[in-house]
Amino acid sequence: MKKLLASLLVFSSLTCAGCFFQTEKHEDTRFMMDTIVTITTTGDSQKDLTDATNDALQLFQTIANQTDPYTAQGPEDLYAVNQSAGKGPHKASPYLMDILSKVQPMGNRDLDLTLGPVIQVWNAHKEAKTVPSQEEVAQALAKTGPEKYTLDTAANTVTLAPGAQLDLGAVAKGYAVEQTADLLSRDKRIKTALINAGGNIKVLGTKDDGRPWKIGIQDPRNPQKILGTLAVKDGTAIATSGDYQRYYEVDGKRYHHILDPQTGWPAWHARSVTVVTHSAFWADYYSTLLFVLPEDKAIALVEKDPNLEMLYVDLEGKTYVSSGLKDIYTPEK
């Protein structure tokens, strides 16, 4: 989805009795899931860091393949599942099944993974720089809804209704970041790591100087500026959904890619929503959900959940910072 965040990282020197050595740092950047994915790691051996980072990026690519709705990747991946709509149960790959099994029990109609038909309408009009008719959107919207797919977790199958199409853009990057972070957290070759998939971020480890990680939050109307910085600790996940990365304009009106499942049209409540929590998957999930909700409902949801924090920028540029962020968020002056 969406969003770039500036990561401001400082890697310190280490000392030990009778010797002096520099912590090694490795960074690898690749283009996956239609975004730039960067993993930065530190440790004692450059070769170990290169190998561990490559393992992590290969895992990320595997998840990207399994969740790609537009390209045939394998007989159990998302494209194949979508092609089976109306034909009965279809075997799903492990990561795909895991994602669906996490989201379906939430039962939230404000975040719908069956928006594929509506997304296809908007993608076609984006190419033509036109706006779909109300009838086009309504016809596509009729094919969506949580009831349009069922899961059999014992058989690892997905059954799609005729015309239904799954799209995991609201959660797939966060899921890939979380799985990659889990792999790196168990890798003894790694001391610290930062994973950034187009603004879906997870930080691992404690920096050598003991200071918190500093993550800059992009100004949704100026890519050269940040709104402020978050000082976060080991295990923190951050995700931002915004109207400023994937959009087009017709007659001066901005049409972005985050759709309201209730209407099939872009959600026009906020410029951006940044979520801070412990799981990159749920950070991605909630950043999308909260972006779709009106500000008062988004604030109410966050303030009653002690594991969820939010920075909400409304359409006029006013910023709301949830109570749990006030001690770690520093606005840019």
Side-chain angles (χ1 to χ4, degrees):
M1 190 173 325
K2 59 245 185 204
K3 71 242 181 180
L4 293 175
L5 294 131
S7 47
L8 313 171
L9 311 178
V10 178
F11 295 90
S12 302
S13 298
L14 298 176
T15 60
C16 65
C19 66
F20 176 85
F21 60 93
Q22 181 77 22
T23 296
E24 295 288 338
K25 173 184 173 183
H26 178 72
E27 184 171 286
D28 197 338
T29 297
R30 303 180 192 180
F31 191 79
M32 295 181 282
M33 288 190 176
D34 200 30
T35 197
I36 296 170
V37 179
T38 300
I39 297 181
T40 307
T41 53
T42 65
D44 294 333
S45 163
Q46 188 64 228
K47 181 182 184 305
D48 284 348
L49 295 178
T50 300
D51 291 345
T53 303
N54 189 58
D55 290 345
L57 287 166
Q58 286 182 354
L59 172 59
F60 199 106
Q61 185 64 65
T62 296
I63 297 170
N65 291 344
Q66 291 189 12
T67 58
D68 185 347
Y70 303 111
T71 308
Q73 301 285 353
E76 299 179 359
D77 296 337
L78 184 57
Y79 180 87
V81 170
N82 280 342
Q83 292 297 110
S84 75
K87 301 175 183 178
H90 190 93
K91 190 75 174 290
S93 60
Y95 291 122
L96 176 55
M97 199 69 190
D98 191 30
I99 292 172
L100 295 173
S101 297
K102 291 177 186 298
V103 174
Q104 191 186 52
M106 302 297 288
N108 199 318
R109 288 187 171 270
D110 291 307
L111 191 146
D112 186 357
L113 298 186
T114 68
L115 278 178
V118 186
I119 292 170
Q120 290 173 13
V121 168
W122 281 100
N123 285 345
H125 280 276
K126 180 179 180 180
E127 291 296 320
K129 294 291 191 294
T130 55
V131 179
S133 67
Q134 293 281 357
E135 183 180 1
E136 278 182 280
V137 173
Q139 288 177 351
L141 197 62
K143 301 174 184 177
T144 71
E147 70 282 355
K148 299 296 183 181
Y149 74 102
T150 57
L151 305 178
D152 184 335
T153 54
N156 288 324
T157 60
V158 181
T159 303
L160 289 179
Q165 296 283 284
L166 292 166
D167 189 291
L168 308 185
V171 293
K173 291 187 188 72
Y175 181 83
V177 169
E178 186 63 23
Q179 292 296 316
T180 301
D182 180 63
L183 178 68
L184 288 172
S185 70
R186 292 181 280 108
D187 195 319
K188 302 302 182 184
R189 298 171 292 183
I190 300 297
K191 289 186 175 179
T192 69
L194 182 138
I195 306 159
N196 185 350
N200 287 277
I201 289 176
K202 183 84 180 250
V203 298
L204 297 174
T206 301
K207 295 200 295 182
D208 299 326
D209 57 12
R211 290 185 294 174
W213 300 80
K214 291 186 177 180
I215 308 296
I217 308 301
Q218 182 180 322
D219 184 329
R221 290 296 179 265
N222 187 343
Q224 307 304 317
K225 291 179 60 178
I226 61 173
L227 296 175
T229 57
L230 289 165
V232 300
K233 60 184 180 179
D234 173 30
T236 300
I238 302 168
T240 300
S241 291
D243 67 1
Y244 55 92
Q245 285 298 324
R246 292 166 56 190
Y247 71 93
Y248 67 103
E249 292 186 357
V250 177
D251 297 329
K253 188 172 183 63
R254 181 180 300 234
Y255 296 90
H256 60 80
H257 73 292
I258 307 175
L259 304 179
D260 184 339
Q262 306 296 332
T263 66
W265 290 76
W268 285 304
H269 298 297
R271 293 181 180 179
S272 70
V273 174
T274 297
V275 167
V276 181
T277 187
H278 304 298
S279 161
F281 173 76
W282 291 113
D284 201 7
Y285 174 95
Y286 278 108
S287 71
T288 306
L289 173 63
L290 294 168
F291 184 91
V292 170
L293 295 178
E295 183 175 4
D296 58 341
K297 291 185 178 180
I299 292 172
L301 189 156
V302 169
E303 291 297 350
K304 72 178 182 182
D305 188 337
N307 297 313
L308 202 59
E309 303 298 341
M310 174 183 72
L311 189 145
Y312 187 108
V313 183
D314 69 16
L315 289 179
E316 285 69 48
K318 181 182 176 182
T319 300
Y320 166 82
V321 181
S322 66
S323 55
L325 287 187
K326 293 188 176 181
D327 290 338
I328 64 171
Y329 177 69
T330 304
E332 190 75 356
K333 295 181 180 179

